[in-house]
Amino acid sequence: MSDNDENHLIAERRAKLARLRERGIAFPNDFRRNALAGDLLTAYGEKSGEALDAAAIRVSVAGRMRAKRVMGKASFAKLEDSSGAIQIFLQQSALGEAYEEFKTWDVGDVIGAEGVLFRTKTNELSVRADKIVLLTKSLRPLPDKWHGIADTEMRYRRRYVDLIMNEQSRRVFETRTAIVRYLRAFLDSRGFLEVETPMLHPIPGGAAARQDPSQCARCGHVSAHRARVVPEAPDGGRL
């Protein structure tokens, strides 16, 4: 996607957000989910369509819309949360005006849906929605869903996009978080004290290394703050 195309899409989405703000419902905060996509797939993934219809299991889910298929008076959307993804089935007859609003929403928007679980004709576990809510408007289009972010440097600079698009990256950070949590709990249980030191100082401090003033790479402005000297390093190395 070229920069001009992306800027055009961003402008369109900003205009949609402006219209939502005029109506006073840009960021509703009264929606509450009661289930995660991954938990639903684990609990009901093996149940037949007949069993689901008989149980009439009502759920409330929320997440980022990763795919959208509008087919006249019925549509499908793929909703993804932190645990996985689940399909949402939407019908004009059940949703009324909300269905017309849904057709204007974009892939990447964060939405909420309420309804009952059922299986489609292709046997996919889905939520037949009777209520949908736009929770957060996405202003920037997501990268191509098949290729994601191919540029490694861009993955590091726009890590938030990488975490949206790349499941492997999310698993890496989930594993890292679990390791750090375990180490912190292990040390806490043995009486260790966690101490944080500031990253910037108005005056040189820490160890014995020479410090240079920090400088903005974009505008060349030299700040009065200085990068922290690592007190743990034997030679007083600088971060």
Side-chain angles (χ1 to χ4, degrees):
M1 181 186 300
S2 67
D3 290 342
N4 288 335
D5 291 338
E6 183 174 1
N7 291 337
H8 178 69
L9 291 175
I10 293 174
E12 285 185 347
R13 295 188 179 201
R14 286 188 178 277
K16 292 179 181 180
L17 177 59
R19 289 193 291 270
L20 289 172
R21 282 176 168 157
E22 290 175 357
R23 295 163 54 186
I25 55 172
F27 301 101
N29 61 2
D30 57 347
F31 184 87
R32 298 294 181 268
R33 69 180 178 190
N34 61 15
L36 295 173
D39 295 340
L40 293 177
L41 294 173
T42 300
Y44 306 106
E46 301 299 325
K47 290 187 176 296
S48 65
E50 293 78 8
L52 292 174
D53 293 340
I57 303 165
R58 186 169 184 81
V59 297
S60 176
V61 294
R64 189 177 300 276
M65 184 164 61
R66 291 296 306 275
K68 174 185 176 184
R69 288 182 292 150
V70 177
M71 301 176 295
K73 296 182 179 181
S75 299
F76 290 92
K78 183 69 72 174
L79 186 150
E80 184 178 79
D81 59 26
S82 59
S83 66
I86 192 168
Q87 183 172 260
I88 310 297
F89 176 62
L90 309 100
Q91 290 178 298
Q92 186 181 47
S93 58
L95 296 169
E97 293 182 2
Y99 182 77
E100 298 303 319
E101 293 183 5
F102 164 78
K103 293 195 290 186
T104 68
W105 299 350
D106 300 295
V107 172
D109 290 348
V110 178
I111 67 174
E114 293 183 14
V116 295
L117 292 177
F118 79 110
R119 288 197 178 276
T120 63
K121 294 181 179 179
T122 59
N123 204 37
E124 182 172 356
L125 182 66
S126 306
V127 178
R128 182 184 284 112
D130 52 42
K131 177 182 177 181
I132 53 172
V133 181
L134 176 63
L135 301 176
T136 303
K137 183 66 189 171
S138 174
L139 297 182
R140 290 184 176 274
L142 295 177
D144 181 83
K145 66 178 181 179
W146 300 113
H147 299 94
I149 305 179
D151 189 335
T152 301
E153 182 178 355
M154 185 60 69
R155 286 179 57 196
Y156 293 145
R157 290 181 177 273
R158 301 179 65 185
R159 180 65 80 182
Y160 57 95
V161 181
D162 183 40
L163 291 175
I164 293 174
M165 301 299 299
N166 192 335
E167 182 178 356
Q168 183 178 0
S169 292
R170 292 198 298 272
R171 298 297 171 256
V172 168
F173 277 90
E174 288 173 359
T175 303
R176 177 190 179 278
T177 299
I179 293 172
V180 172
R181 185 188 304 117
Y182 170 79
L183 291 175
R184 179 173 284 115
F186 177 85
L187 294 172
D188 284 345
S189 66
R190 284 156 177 78
F192 284 85
L193 180 65
E194 182 175 356
V195 178
E196 296 181 357
T197 57
M199 299 302 295
L200 292 174
H201 292 273
I203 59 174
R210 179 180 61 84
Q211 290 185 320
D212 297 324
S214 59
Q215 183 174 0
C216 177
R218 177 176 297 179
C219 63
H221 173 71
V222 178
S223 171
H225 289 80
R226 300 167 185 268
R228 173 175 72 116
V229 170
V230 182
E232 301 86 358
D235 58 350
R238 188 172 45 188
L239 282 181

